[in-house]
Amino acid sequence: MAALDGMTIIALGLPFIAALVAPALVRRLGHNAAWVLALFPFFVFVRFLEFLPEVSAGSAITGGFQWVPSYNVSFSWFIDGLSLIFALLISGIGTLIVFYTGGYLKGHAQLGRFYSFIFLFMGAMLGLVISDSFLMLFVYWELTSITSFLLIGFDHGREASRRSALQALVVTGLGGLSLMAGLLVVWNITGVTQLSLLVNLGDEVRASPFYLMALILLLGGAFTKSAQFPFHFWLPNAMEAPTPVSAYLHSATMVKAGVYLVMRMNPAFGDTVAWETILPVFGGTTLIVGSLLAIRQTDLKLMLAYTTVSSLGLMVMMTGFGSEHAAAAGVLYLIAHSMFKGAFFMLAGNIDHEAGTRDITKLGGLRKLMPISFLAAMAAAFSMGGLPPFFGFLSKEEIYYGLWHADPWSIFMTVVAIVGNGLMFVVGFAIAIKPFLGREVKTPKHAHEAPLLMWIGPATLATGGLLAAVFSPIFHQYVSSPMVSAVSGEAEEVTISLVPHIGMPLLLSLVTIVFAVLVYLKVDSARSAIAATLTAIGWGPDKGFDQFVSGMVRLSRRVTKIAQPGQLDIYMTVTFAAVAVTLLAPMIIFDELPAMPAWPADAEIHELAVILIAFIGLGAVIAAKDRLTAIVSLGIQGFAVALIFMLFGAPDLSFTQFMVETLSVVILALVMTRLRLTLSDHRPTGQKIGDATVAIACGAGFMLYLLAVTEVPFRSYLSDFFIAYSKVIAHGANVVNVIIVDFRGTDTLGEIAVVMVTGLAILSLIRVRPGWKPGMLAENDPDAPTEEKK
Amino acid sequence: MEALFSVLVGALFAVSIYLFLSKHIIRVLMGVAILGNAVNLLIFTNGRLLREVPPVIAADEYTLQQAAANPLPQALILTAIVISFSFFAFLLVLGYRAFQELETDDTDEMRVAEPADEEAPPLGY
Amino acid sequence: MRTVIFRTVAPYLTSLMVLFSIFVLLRGHNEPGGGFIGGLIAASAFAIYGIACGVAPVRRAIYFHPMAISAFGLFMSSIAGMISLPLSVPFMTGNWMQLSFFGVDIDLSSVLIFDIGVYFVVVGAITSIALALEERDRD
């Protein structure tokens, strides 16, 4: 393990520190706190940027410390190309989001809390992508789910928000459990708990009989997090969150955690039939379903959400496709997507913020009013549609490079990619063109350009997409190639550039564009056709979630009604029946019943008499019909026990028991004379017999247990210790008292504390009553002046 | 002798549990009082029995010179007696106050925490 | 219960029992007895006094609120445990000091202070319970 690197630790902790200080800063500076708060993620960004030369040279940065050494659990990080680019995206886009939030939620009463949640998420996500140990990965993974829950439910006054938050938590939380199970299986297979070691153990993993099990469990985590069909439904619902959250968590970073996991596992798990079937099939389905559903929407954010679903599907599909350029295509598309989708979401927020609506059919002609937003939207749409000179073009070319081969499976996947890409092209340009061009439409608010804080983010990201493509050789050297190498597990070079390269991929790009333009012209009829189909189906996983939740509520109510009927005697019967079974069953099953004891020949007549008295007292308690008999017979059995203690060498106990029995009888009499209670047993005979059976079974259990215990020889070394040292070191002749106040003094201290607390509890029970007035306290207070006069 | 005690302990348990299963708090309370004795005697017998000689060391000796009763269970029981008494008193007052407030001593009718006609939980979010 | 005989005898009986309880408490380390037993005896004494003469005279007689006595006892026991702190031995270690009065050796110890604390806790708590139940007539 490499040395502990203080700066990296600070960089990892900074977002959490920012989460702590954010509310106070916002209280002082209002929305301008954004300028200060953005320094935190920016510092992290710079810190990770410093690693870039080293990582692009092919080495990985490791560090950390032993967390729980006895279980070989470490807090360690492993920063290779994949982790580093993710960390840069998280901190870089995070900086822009911090700016954007300041503008978007300007004047919101809970802005400070919002910042706290955002920073918590940022810290969790950073930790997730650089984690080396499985445990750390899992902890951060769950932390991102929880912060996502908090952010989606930020506007918790609305039921839709609460539902979406809960839905996201349930789906990703279940996925988290699946991930943990998967990691445990991997641990079992390989014996390692670190990702950095796992990547070299691919052969071992693939040869294991548990390979498929581990794969499915891990993909369960990845697919829920990355909203793959059929778990895609939570992501569009998560759009209930404020737009900065949608831009940051639900497009640029968190939902990519699943893709990250898949990419991370590729060297160890990839290159098998299962991997290359499951991933493209689920990814491809998600791509098509997501883009079709996106066409159907008219809400800007929902359109973007569904295209995010389909983009995630495309990434998973490319990662799993397994051909030469496929992994590289997935990586390039991931980078491109983070930039253009983050920009798009912020722009959608701008439009919503400035024009007052997100419905695409109610928008138009904003170009003149919001020129910067329009330019940024066009840039994002070009990138999303895969047109030059933007980075999206490079990724799309690479996708077709990776997919196009002359076999049916490849051709089929190519068609899937063309349809998906085409539909996303349509949605991208719909968002970029429809609200901005055309006739000016009267919007709920009179629109004008968004403030600086709100356009700085999308403008930066859109420019970034352009620069990355134009300077692609440098970008590839430092960003794409290291990341691709980490995903594929061997050094690889990405060379794709804007320079025209005549060939099949370019042709496929043209086909995509032609297809997209055709759909774009018919988009309204396509929308209604899809809507009609969905209505005809009438059921989806989203509805299924509702049915699942209400089913759970009804089921738990039914279970509660059975387990907690609210009747004390049922609880008691169950408890004591369990006691009886616990005592008797092992003795009977393992044939350990005690031998029949002989009649104690040495029993003296007075001892027998006392025991007989105890029995009589017990019988009388049960049979008692009036209060006096009951109290007296209760006293009889108690005094008989006291006598037994006296006869068998325990004068201390005997004394105590006498006093306690006296006091018990006194207070029982005091209370009973005030309670006009019938003592007789109202139970019907059938219940009496049942109760008696349970009681006798318990009694017999204890009796047999005690017989069995006393049959074996007594080991007296504990008692011998006390007897031997009582006088010598504790200066006491009465061993019992010495044990209480000296050897077990701390124990006794606890016990007298209990006695005192019961005294307090009784006093308050008697004093506190509905009609209680402050003056009534004086009645019981000996120091009160009224008491003195009496 | 231990065998005889086992039977007595069994009887104490059986009676106290029979009273516990009743629906009337006053009978349950008497069961509590007896249960304390039952447990104490159980511990006492577990430490084996020895007649009449308390574990007290003579003035001129340093340890016990003749066989005496086992001091350890006695020490355990002594504090247990006092604590079970204070809990008995607490339960007694609790039962008494419950009777005053609810005007019933039937546990079936004491349904403040778990009412019989509890409404179904809301199905919303 | 408030017969004339009982009422006349009760104060003397109570004082005798309290005296006896202190005797039992102090001899507890070497003979049967101790804080728990002594405390119970004293508490019974106050309970008897309360039944015979009513609660108010008992409260006057013991002057402090019973729960205050109980709390004081707990405090005393804790202090007895902490005597070991300045002596750098673990909590609750017994510490001894021998005094000689007229040729009689008296062992003074933190354990004795602890036992007296136990006595006060038991007296206070149980007297409080008993008195609280007895005076319920007045509500």
Side-chain angles (χ1 to χ4, degrees):
Chain A
M1 187 154 300
L4 195 66
D5 174 10
M7 286 304 278
T8 311
I9 291 263
I10 290 173
L12 286 181
L14 259 187
F16 294 105
I17 296 168
L20 276 180
V21 301
L25 265 181
V26 169
R27 212 169 299 136
R28 181 122 341 140
L29 301 175
H31 75 282
N32 284 322
W35 298 105
V36 183
L37 287 171
L39 290 174
F40 287 93
F42 187 68
F43 176 85
V44 178
F45 182 73
V46 171
R47 173 68 197 150
F48 280 110
L49 216 50
E50 285 171 19
F51 289 138
L52 208 49
E54 200 181 336
V55 170
S56 62
S59 58
I61 290 149
T62 56
F65 54 89
Q66 286 287 317
W67 188 3
V68 190
S70 47
Y71 286 94
N72 198 20
V73 174
S74 59
F75 185 95
S76 55
W77 54 83
F78 171 72
I79 306 172
D80 61 354
L82 179 60
S83 300
L84 183 62
I85 304 311
F86 259 101
L88 287 173
L89 284 175
I90 292 159
S91 51
I93 297 182
T95 312
L96 302 174
I97 291 290
V98 170
F99 285 134
Y100 184 75
T101 304
Y104 187 80
L105 287 178
K106 179 179 174 182
H108 193 289
Q110 302 292 343
L111 179 60
R113 191 165 58 131
F114 186 82
Y115 269 126
S116 266
F117 291 165
I118 282 276
F119 280 119
L120 278 179
F121 164 76
M122 195 184 292
M125 191 69 203
L126 270 178
L128 195 163
V129 294
I130 65 156
S131 292
D132 190 12
S133 79
F134 289 176
L135 186 70
M136 203 174 138
L137 174 76
F138 174 70
V139 168
Y140 280 123
W141 182 281
E142 292 294 59
L143 208 54
T144 58
S145 293
I146 292 166
T147 44
S148 156
F149 167 76
L150 291 172
L151 283 165
I152 299 171
F154 180 69
D155 190 7
H156 54 75
R158 288 184 307 124
E159 189 178 14
S161 261
R162 296 196 296 270
R163 173 176 184 270
S164 302
L166 198 68
Q167 192 179 51
L169 185 69
V170 168
V171 174
T172 55
L174 284 176
L177 288 179
S178 170
L179 169 73
M180 184 175 72
L183 290 175
L184 289 175
V185 174
V186 172
W187 180 36
N188 250 334
I189 295 174
T190 60
V192 300
T193 58
Q194 275 159 303
L195 292 168
S196 52
L197 300 175
L198 180 68
V199 292
N200 301 323
L201 294 172
D203 295 331
E204 205 176 316
V205 173
R206 282 184 284 264
S208 160
F210 298 109
Y211 168 78
L212 198 62
M213 187 178 164
L215 178 66
I216 289 171
L217 286 170
L218 288 175
L219 290 183
F223 282 5
T224 48
K225 198 79 162 183
S226 282
Q228 298 295 297
F229 182 84
F231 306 112
H232 64 282
F233 57 93
W234 70 266
L235 184 56
N237 286 336
M239 295 301 129
E240 291 293 337
T243 300
V245 178
S246 311
Y248 192 37
L249 271 72
H250 303 126
S251 73
T253 56
M254 189 190 82
V255 289
K256 293 205 172 68
V259 178
Y260 165 79
L261 187 71
V262 171
M263 288 181 166
R264 179 55 86 203
M265 294 297 166
N266 187 40
F269 279 82
D271 216 12
T272 65
V273 175
W275 180 266
E276 289 179 3
T277 311
I278 296 176
L279 261 60
V281 165
F282 276 89
T285 315
T286 312
L287 170 64
I288 297 297
V289 169
S291 49
L292 282 175
L293 290 172
I295 297 277
R296 195 204 100 184
Q297 299 299 331
T298 57
D299 182 307
L300 290 179
K301 270 181 84 177
L302 285 177
M303 293 166 81
L304 289 171
Y306 279 109
T307 56
T308 306
V309 170
S310 52
S311 299
L312 292 166
L314 183 57
M315 287 172 220
V316 169
M317 177 177 129
M318 292 317 291
T319 313
F321 191 72
S323 73
E324 200 184 332
H325 285 277
V331 166
L332 291 183
Y333 189 72
L334 188 147
I335 299 169
H337 177 260
S338 290
M339 293 198 279
F340 71 69
K341 196 52 70 63
F344 253 143
F345 264 111
M346 289 192 246
L347 289 168
N350 283 357
I351 294 171
D352 186 18
H353 197 261
E354 301 306 328
T357 178
R358 295 198 304 246
D359 193 330
I360 197 163
T361 58
K362 293 179 183 146
L363 289 162
L366 293 172
R367 178 173 50 95
K368 290 219 179 65
L369 300 170
M370 303 174 72
I372 305 173
S373 297
F374 171 60
L375 280 178
M378 284 313 284
F382 265 66
S383 200
M384 186 164 166
L387 294 177
F390 287 90
F391 199 67
F393 172 69
L394 302 189
S395 70
K396 203 137 296 181
E397 294 294 286
E398 192 79 1
I399 287 172
Y400 292 134
Y401 262 118
L403 287 177
W404 179 252
H405 299 281
D407 59 280
W409 174 245
S410 300
I411 292 171
F412 174 69
M413 292 318 285
T414 310
V415 172
V416 167
I418 288 173
V419 172
N421 275 330
L423 293 175
M424 282 198 279
F425 182 105
V426 171
V427 175
F429 275 95
I431 295 172
I433 291 175
K434 182 75 184 30
F436 290 103
L437 297 182
R439 236 170 8 91
E440 238 178 270
V441 175
K442 195 166 164 18
T443 49
K445 269 172 37 186
H446 181 69
H448 43 78
E449 185 54 83
L452 170 67
L453 275 172
M454 288 178 71
W455 62 252
I456 192 169
T460 311
L461 288 176
T463 319
L466 178 64
L467 293 179
V470 172
F471 299 103
S472 61
I474 302 171
F475 190 78
H476 288 329
Q477 187 199 339
Y478 282 107
V479 178
S480 319
S481 298
M483 191 164 169
V484 173
S485 306
V487 174
S488 52
E490 53 202 36
E492 271 192 39
E493 197 96 12
V494 181
T495 52
I496 190 117
S497 72
L498 285 173
V499 183
H501 36 277
I502 312 298
M504 201 61 200
L506 194 64
L507 183 67
L508 291 170
S509 285
L510 289 175
V511 171
T512 311
I513 293 165
V514 170
F515 169 71
V517 172
L518 286 176
V519 177
Y520 187 81
L521 296 174
K522 298 260 172 213
V523 71
D524 285 330
S525 50
R527 186 178 293 153
S528 47
I530 296 167
T533 319
L534 284 177
T535 324
I537 296 171
W539 188 89
D542 192 37
K543 203 169 178 186
F545 177 80
D546 274 346
Q547 290 162 345
F548 168 73
V549 169
S550 60
M552 288 297 274
V553 172
R554 284 198 204 97
L555 178 72
S556 38
R557 175 170 159 79
R558 215 162 295 156
V559 170
T560 311
K561 280 214 145 183
I562 295 167
Q564 300 262 297
Q567 279 166 296
L568 187 68
D569 59 327
I570 293 179
Y571 298 158
M572 287 288 183
T573 311
V574 171
T575 307
F576 285 116
V579 168
V581 169
T582 316
L583 282 167
L584 290 172
M587 276 196 273
I588 292 168
I589 292 170
F590 297 107
D591 198 23
E592 286 177 351
L593 288 170
M596 183 66 199
W599 177 255
D602 57 341
E604 308 265 350
I605 187 76
H606 61 272
E607 290 164 5
L608 293 176
V610 171
I611 291 173
L612 188 66
I613 290 171
F615 273 111
I616 292 170
L618 284 176
V621 169
I622 288 191
K625 288 273 182 283
D626 59 284
R627 290 196 289 262
L628 192 65
T629 325
I631 295 175
V632 167
S633 40
L634 196 66
I636 287 174
Q637 61 84 29
F639 286 122
V641 172
L643 276 175
I644 287 170
F645 286 143
M646 179 66 93
L647 291 175
F648 288 86
D652 287 315
L653 294 192
S654 180
F655 241 66
T656 316
Q657 177 81 13
F658 268 121
M659 300 318 302
V660 161
E661 283 305 328
T662 316
L663 283 165
S664 297
V665 167
V666 167
I667 64 168
L668 199 56
L670 282 169
V671 169
M672 283 244 238
T673 47
R674 289 175 183 80
L675 294 178
R676 277 159 295 282
L677 296 181
T678 42
L679 255 174
S680 52
D681 201 345
H682 297 299
R683 284 178 279 194
T685 318
Q687 202 191 348
K688 268 187 194 167
I689 292 170
D691 289 352
T693 315
V694 173
I696 288 168
C698 270
F702 280 108
M703 181 183 80
L704 291 172
Y705 152 77
L706 195 50
L707 278 174
V709 168
T710 49
E711 259 176 12
V712 296
F714 184 58
R715 298 175 67 187
S716 63
Y717 59 88
L718 258 184
S719 306
D720 291 342
F721 167 85
F722 291 122
I723 290 168
Y725 291 106
S726 172
K727 186 119 176 197
V728 183
I729 64 172
H731 305 259
N734 181 0
V735 185
V736 176
N737 189 262
V738 170
I739 294 175
I740 292 175
V741 296
D742 203 332
F743 288 122
R744 286 177 61 243
T746 313
D747 218 1
T748 309
L749 186 67
E751 281 158 355
I752 56 177
V754 171
V755 171
M756 202 196 90
V757 170
T758 11
L760 279 176
I762 291 172
L763 207 60
S764 40
L765 262 181
I766 290 179
R767 288 268 176 87
V768 178
R769 48 192 54 208
W772 189 82
K773 289 181 202 70
M776 286 169 71
L777 191 66
E779 246 184 308
N780 265 348
D781 187 355
D783 300 329
T786 48
E787 195 74 20
E788 296 296 324
K789 286 173 201 152
K790 279 185 184 170
Chain B
M1 209 57 215
E2 277 88 354
L4 211 53
F5 269 59
S6 305
V7 179
L8 179 60
V9 168
L12 282 164
F13 270 108
V15 169
S16 88
I17 288 166
Y18 182 70
L19 290 170
F20 256 104
L21 296 177
S22 161
K23 287 175 195 279
H24 293 272
I25 44 173
I26 201 72
R27 287 177 78 89
V28 176
L29 280 169
M30 294 198 297
V32 173
I34 297 175
L35 189 67
N37 285 337
V39 173
N40 288 341
L41 216 53
L42 180 82
I43 298 174
F44 192 67
T45 317
N46 259 337
R48 304 303 188 271
L49 304 170
L50 201 135
R51 287 198 183 80
E52 279 150 23
V53 188
V56 176
I57 301 165
D60 47 353
E61 304 286 352
Y62 285 101
T63 56
L64 284 172
Q65 291 306 301
Q66 81 282 36
N70 189 350
L72 187 57
Q74 293 192 26
L76 297 175
I77 296 168
L78 189 67
T79 48
I81 292 176
V82 179
I83 289 190
S84 54
F85 169 70
S86 30
F87 269 100
F88 171 67
F90 174 71
L91 290 175
L92 191 68
V93 174
L94 192 64
Y96 175 57
R97 295 284 296 123
F99 178 74
Q100 280 186 328
E101 297 296 326
L102 305 173
E103 294 177 348
T104 175
D105 68 328
D106 189 335
T107 54
D108 276 357
E109 291 162 30
M110 295 182 164
R111 301 293 295 262
V112 178
E114 293 169 294
D117 52 347
E118 201 163 15
E119 278 177 32
L123 285 174
Y125 289 92
Chain C
M1 297 278 253
R2 294 192 182 179
T3 58
V4 178
I5 298 176
F6 193 31
R7 253 193 288 181
T8 321
V9 173
Y12 303 103
L13 188 64
T14 303
S15 12
L16 271 177
M17 280 176 81
V18 171
L19 209 60
F20 180 62
S21 76
I22 295 170
F23 167 69
V24 167
L25 160 71
L26 292 180
R27 77 167 200 165
H29 218 55
N30 292 315
E31 299 286 329
F36 280 105
I37 306 171
L40 283 167
I41 294 173
S44 320
F46 293 129
I48 289 171
Y49 193 18
I51 291 172
C53 308
V55 172
V58 184
R59 292 205 186 271
R60 263 203 303 281
I62 57 177
Y63 190 77
F64 298 104
H65 192 281
M67 280 323 290
I69 296 175
S70 187
F72 174 71
L74 192 59
F75 177 70
M76 201 167 156
S77 292
S78 314
I79 291 295
M82 284 179 210
I83 289 176
S84 55
L85 283 187
L87 302 173
S88 310
V89 284
F91 183 66
M92 279 290 171
T93 308
N95 295 293
W96 295 84
M97 190 168 76
Q98 278 203 332
L99 295 177
S100 259
F101 284 111
F102 312 108
V104 181
D105 283 340
I106 294 176
D107 288 340
L108 263 188
S109 66
S110 62
V111 174
L112 185 67
I113 299 173
F114 182 80
D115 215 5
I116 295 172
V118 173
Y119 174 85
F120 278 129
V121 171
V122 174
V123 172
I126 292 180
T127 307
S128 166
I129 296 169
L131 293 187
L133 285 171
E134 282 169 13
E135 78 186 334
R136 307 210 20 70
D137 282 337
R138 289 191 301 149
D139 316 329

